[in-house]
Amino acid sequence: MTPQIIDGKATAAIIKAEIAEEVKRIVANGGKRPHLAAVLVGHDGGSETYVKNKVLACEACGFQSSLIRYEDDVTEAELLACVDRLNQDPTVDGFIVQLPLPAHIDAQKVTERIDPRKDVDGFTPVNVGRMVIGLPCYVPATPKGIIELLRRYHIETSGKRCVVLGRSNIVGKPMAMLMMQKAYGDATVTVCHSHSATLKEECRQADIIVAAIGRPGFVTADMVKPGAVVIDVGTTRVPDATRPKGFRLSGDVDFEHVAPLCSAITPVPGGVGPMTICMLMLNTLQAAKGE
Ligand code: GUN
């Protein structure tokens, strides 16, 4: 079988162009340019890259962006004060605090301090709760991007068996919730994780697998039903001396052996990653419009 390669990079470029058009219209009509702020603590390589890409995406969409940086030794009180300032800043429509945070800072406490109306990551308890019961909210960017990819590639999810690998608050849990909901996936959802005894068997029965466990090559060919759709959320940095940066990004799926079995599959890089940032832009546009 020759699988359809789900091109997240190209899809994200189309959506960013759509957003840029809308921003042009808003500004031409005297409206305010959307403004996203990002708070970055320390110098974690992955976080630096994410935040840099978020700033670039803001430029591509015609948004204003602000980057607020702190060193690793920032205190929790300083960070909470920063969140308070951003909550009250009328020029900022939405903001994110890039995770992970250093161990001496309670990330949950910082997240809970964010005004839900500016929580474009959709991580605050108010937005999570609203999402679970199907109320208007900010949907976390990675699951939202996956849903959008499935929709744009006309992949049927209603009534299908979907296995989500991973139960993180950022990806696994919200992904499972969305895939279950009538308005999004309308699928039969199973969540598997590091302690699932029947993980392989569950995967083998799945029409759609969403892999978000952060273990390179975890999903192997013997776990995939012929014709399945496989979405790879993994982006682990694997040392690779042949690459200019000394590493490459590895997905959770053994692409080489799994792809030939699939009806459709996302590559890493160029699959889910670009969509995630693009959905953050959509959430920021939603915030700027006061929706
Ligand atoms: N760290 C990894 N993914 C994300 C994300 O989507 N938002 C934030 N704030 N931090 C992250």
Side-chain angles (χ1 to χ4, degrees):
M1 194 179 298
T2 306
Q4 181 169 42
I5 303 296
I6 300 175
D7 189 338
K9 195 172 170 191
T11 308
I14 293 166
I15 297 172
K16 277 189 280 189
E18 291 168 1
I19 297 172
E21 274 304 308
E22 186 166 351
V23 170
K24 249 191 215 159
R25 255 196 325 271
I26 290 169
V27 173
N29 290 330
K32 177 183 169 302
R33 194 175 285 287
H35 181 187
L36 173 70
V39 180
L40 176 58
V41 178
H43 299 274
D44 172 75
S47 293
E48 291 265 5
T49 305
Y50 284 135
V51 169
K52 188 184 82 191
N53 287 335
K54 285 167 189 175
V55 171
L56 290 174
C58 281
E59 283 169 18
C61 293
F63 291 5
Q64 185 184 345
S65 71
S66 303
L67 174 56
I68 299 150
R69 298 196 72 126
Y70 290 97
E71 290 302 321
D72 279 316
D73 60 358
V74 66
T75 65
E76 190 176 279
E78 281 177 288
L79 210 49
L80 290 170
C82 172
V83 169
D84 288 341
R85 278 196 302 279
L86 290 168
N87 282 339
Q88 279 151 26
D89 184 341
T91 72
V92 172
D93 297 299
F95 67 96
I96 63 144
V97 178
Q98 185 65 33
L99 303 175
L101 292 172
H104 69 277
I105 291 171
D106 182 345
Q108 194 53 41
K109 193 168 169 187
V110 172
T111 300
E112 286 191 44
R113 192 76 155 241
I114 298 171
D115 184 331
R117 290 167 299 186
K118 294 192 176 188
D119 168 31
V120 284
D121 262 333
F123 291 171
T124 59
V126 167
N127 278 310
V128 175
R130 290 180 69 89
M131 183 198 63
V132 170
I133 56 176
L135 292 175
C137 63
Y138 295 114
V139 175
T142 302
K144 181 169 170 155
I146 294 169
I147 295 283
E148 189 64 23
L149 273 182
L150 293 171
R151 199 178 67 78
R152 292 199 179 222
Y153 276 81
H154 308 292
I155 291 168
E156 181 62 80
T157 57
S158 180
K160 302 290 183 190
R161 283 187 173 192
C162 174
V163 167
V164 177
L165 296 177
R167 54 180 159 182
S168 71
N169 289 337
I170 294 182
V171 185
K173 273 187 219 165
M175 189 71 227
M177 282 297 156
L178 292 177
M179 283 306 276
M180 183 176 72
Q181 282 187 33
K182 197 174 181 77
Y184 292 94
D186 198 28
T188 304
V189 181
T190 304
V191 180
C192 294
H193 48 78
S194 52
H195 289 95
S196 296
T198 57
L199 188 146
K200 283 198 178 210
E201 290 80 353
E202 301 289 351
C203 284
R204 269 197 287 270
Q205 294 186 45
D207 302 304
I208 302 163
I209 297 175
V210 179
I213 36 174
R215 285 167 62 177
F218 181 84
V219 177
T220 47
D222 60 317
M223 292 162 66
V224 177
K225 179 171 85 170
V229 174
V230 175
I231 306 293
D232 191 347
V233 190
T235 51
T236 307
R237 289 180 168 198
V238 174
D240 184 341
T242 69
R243 302 295 174 98
K245 289 182 178 160
F247 67 87
R248 66 188 147 83
L249 288 185
S250 174
D252 286 349
V253 177
D254 174 8
F255 187 91
E256 186 191 345
H257 298 106
V258 168
L261 290 168
C262 298
S263 58
I265 186 167
T266 60
V268 174
V272 174
M275 289 298 289
T276 295
I277 289 177
C278 186
M279 294 299 111
L280 179 67
M281 301 298 118
L282 263 189
N283 284 353
T284 305
L285 179 62
Q286 185 185 329
K289 292 198 289 189
E291 285 173 353

